[in-house]
Amino acid sequence: MDWQTSEDTVAVRPVTDADARSLVGKPPASGAWREGDPVGARSFATIGTVATEAGVRLPGVRIAYESWGTLDADRGNAVLVLHALTGDPHLIGPPGPGQPTEGWWEGVVGPGLAIDTDRWFVVAPNVLGGCAGTTGPASLGPDQSEWGGRFPYLTIRDQVAAQVAFADALRIDRWAAVIGGSMGGMHALEWAVAAPERVGRLAVLAAPPASSADQVALNSVQTEAVRADPRFRGGDYYGAADGDGPHRGLALARRMALLNYRSPGELNDRFGRSWQSGVSPLGHHGRFAVESYLDFHGNRFTRRFDANSYIRLVDAMTSHDIGRDRGGIAAALGRYTGPALVLGVDSDRLYPLEDQRVIARHLLGALDGEEPTLVESDFGHDAFLIERDAVGAALHRLLDN
């Protein structure tokens, strides 16, 4: 038995023969979308040079995004949805050429749904440093070779500065709502603090006000797993043949992450001590079912993501501290006074409820006062993607406010 659930495919279902066939053959050196690949539903906006907090100037930045609905004449109905670490701009829709996965928020975004595309103009950009079309390590630099290991360190604030420039390029002065979960929740918080006048409503789902020492430690072992792969080559692997890229390190990092996205109870209830096949894992080279689950997702991930992007995005999450140089978390959050949904999951071991309590306590417009809106779920951190009815109902409350 194996099951397919994660940030990239959130429907809970058994792995099919088609899923297994998708892993036939050697993985590419990078799973990034590359210039010349099918565009799919992407659009692009050029925002020029981005100056990072570390003092690096990144020229010719381009943001890839998808959008749904119609922008009103007064440009006042635009909603910004920000993706998690391994997400992309593809909120809804099937996989296809240039888009290897189905939409990650099916059932939440669309006509008549919580984020109603008959009412709202919904925009979902790929984050700066990502690998789904926005400028990142797999993009070509000014010398027409991939940035690779030369791509600069980014913070959450750098990425939001790029998103602000992106909004300017779209001529959207104020978002009706800014919505994000996990890493996207970090970006949403940064929007509310850095540019509160441009955020009509705020939704922070399963995200912290700052990355704790425990969270930084979890991030560090993942990035080190990628760097330790001898085929990583310091980040310069783009010319490698299929099977000769850093897929082992990237798959291991993904396996580590999945353990934080799910709850112990859910894994125990689903897999127990069952075997993957009739071959015993007790000295006879068989596998426990949960090991096979992690292997499948690690291997699948390497075919749609980029190792350098993974490091840059995880490092950005490590940088997250909404109170840095702003007088602390409480003072920073006090800058935003609009309506805010702060949602947490009772079984989340990556960003536990206490993180959301801190946020709710200091946001004047939090819908449920000093307590976060609670989602009860066995699915752990991933519940903000999986529990669509509960999350959708909470978003309805915010967007109707």
Side-chain angles (χ1 to χ4, degrees):
M1 178 181 68
D2 200 349
W3 294 82
Q4 191 164 40
T5 53
S6 69
E7 283 190 346
D8 55 290
T9 302
V10 298
V12 180
R13 60 173 176 82
V15 169
T16 66
D17 289 342
D19 295 324
R21 286 194 298 273
S22 72
L23 301 187
V24 172
K26 297 177 180 179
S30 171
W33 184 90
R34 310 291 292 279
E35 202 69 45
D37 289 346
V39 170
R42 291 173 179 82
S43 297
F44 298 93
T46 299
I47 63 171
T49 297
V50 172
T52 73
E53 286 196 273
V56 177
R57 292 179 65 81
L58 189 60
V61 172
R62 184 179 70 174
I63 304 293
Y65 67 100
E66 293 189 28
S67 62
W68 301 263
T70 302
L71 186 61
D72 286 350
D74 64 3
R75 313 184 82 78
N77 70 325
V79 170
L80 181 66
V81 178
L82 303 166
H83 66 75
L85 168 62
T86 65
D88 59 26
H90 197 56
L91 295 183
I92 56 175
Q99 178 57 53
T101 56
E102 66 187 13
W104 54 266
W105 237 6
E106 298 281 357
V108 174
V109 180
L113 298 176
I115 306 177
D116 186 354
T117 52
D118 287 336
R119 175 185 180 190
W120 305 108
F121 177 63
V122 180
V123 181
N126 185 213
V127 69
L128 180 63
C131 58
T134 290
T135 299
S139 304
L140 298 180
D143 60 357
Q144 294 304 299
S145 62
E146 292 86 354
W147 281 100
R150 303 174 297 161
F151 197 81
Y153 176 90
L154 298 172
T155 65
I156 292 293
R157 296 185 190 184
D158 294 330
Q159 293 168 328
V160 170
Q163 292 168 3
V164 170
F166 167 67
D168 291 342
L170 296 186
R171 296 192 298 117
I172 295 173
D173 296 328
R174 187 172 188 265
W175 298 101
V178 176
I179 298 168
S182 194
M183 183 185 78
M186 298 177 184
H187 292 130
L189 268 181
E190 181 62 29
W191 264 97
V193 170
E197 72 286 355
R198 302 188 70 165
V199 180
R201 302 170 183 82
L202 173 68
V204 180
L205 316 178
S211 290
S212 67
D214 180 58
Q215 292 153 4
V216 170
L218 294 170
N219 289 345
S220 70
V221 294
Q222 292 176 50
T223 57
E224 185 57 28
V226 178
R227 291 189 175 101
D229 189 323
R231 291 175 171 144
F232 181 62
R233 300 180 179 91
D236 299 318
Y237 49 79
Y238 293 102
D242 289 357
D244 195 32
H247 59 276
R248 289 185 181 275
L250 183 58
L252 179 58
R254 177 63 168 168
R255 290 179 65 176
M256 294 175 182
L258 280 172
L259 293 177
N260 300 313
Y261 297 155
R262 314 314 293 249
S263 73
E266 190 249 346
L267 291 175
N268 290 335
D269 289 344
R270 180 182 299 179
F271 298 108
R273 291 187 53 81
S274 61
W275 300 355
Q276 177 60 24
S277 70
V279 180
S280 170
L282 306 178
H284 297 283
H285 308 294
R287 305 283 286 166
F288 284 102
V290 70
E291 293 177 299
S292 176
Y293 163 82
L294 294 175
D295 281 346
F296 176 87
H297 283 289
N299 292 335
R300 186 171 186 261
F301 184 62
T302 64
R303 296 165 192 268
R304 70 167 190 86
F305 217 80
D306 179 69
N308 277 318
S309 277
Y310 196 84
I311 289 172
R312 287 294 177 264
L313 300 190
V314 170
D315 282 349
M317 294 170 72
T318 290
S319 80
H320 175 57
D321 179 358
I322 206 71
R324 174 169 57 86
D325 300 326
R326 291 168 170 160
I329 289 170
L333 292 175
R335 297 183 182 188
Y336 182 73
T337 58
L341 168 65
V342 183
L343 183 144
V345 181
D346 62 350
S347 58
D348 190 342
R349 58 176 169 177
L350 179 59
Y351 299 128
L353 272 174
E354 186 54 36
D355 285 338
Q356 290 86 57
R357 288 195 178 100
V358 172
I359 298 170
R361 194 176 303 138
H362 298 294
L363 282 179
L364 181 63
L367 295 188
D368 291 319
E370 295 190 357
E371 283 295 312
T373 301
L374 179 64
V375 171
E376 296 179 343
S377 174
D378 293 334
F379 289 114
H381 180 67
D382 266 358
F384 84 93
L385 296 167
I386 297 172
E387 301 286 5
R388 295 164 179 167
D389 289 345
V391 173
L395 288 169
H396 261 304
R397 289 174 58 209
L398 177 72
L399 294 174
D400 288 342
N401 190 294

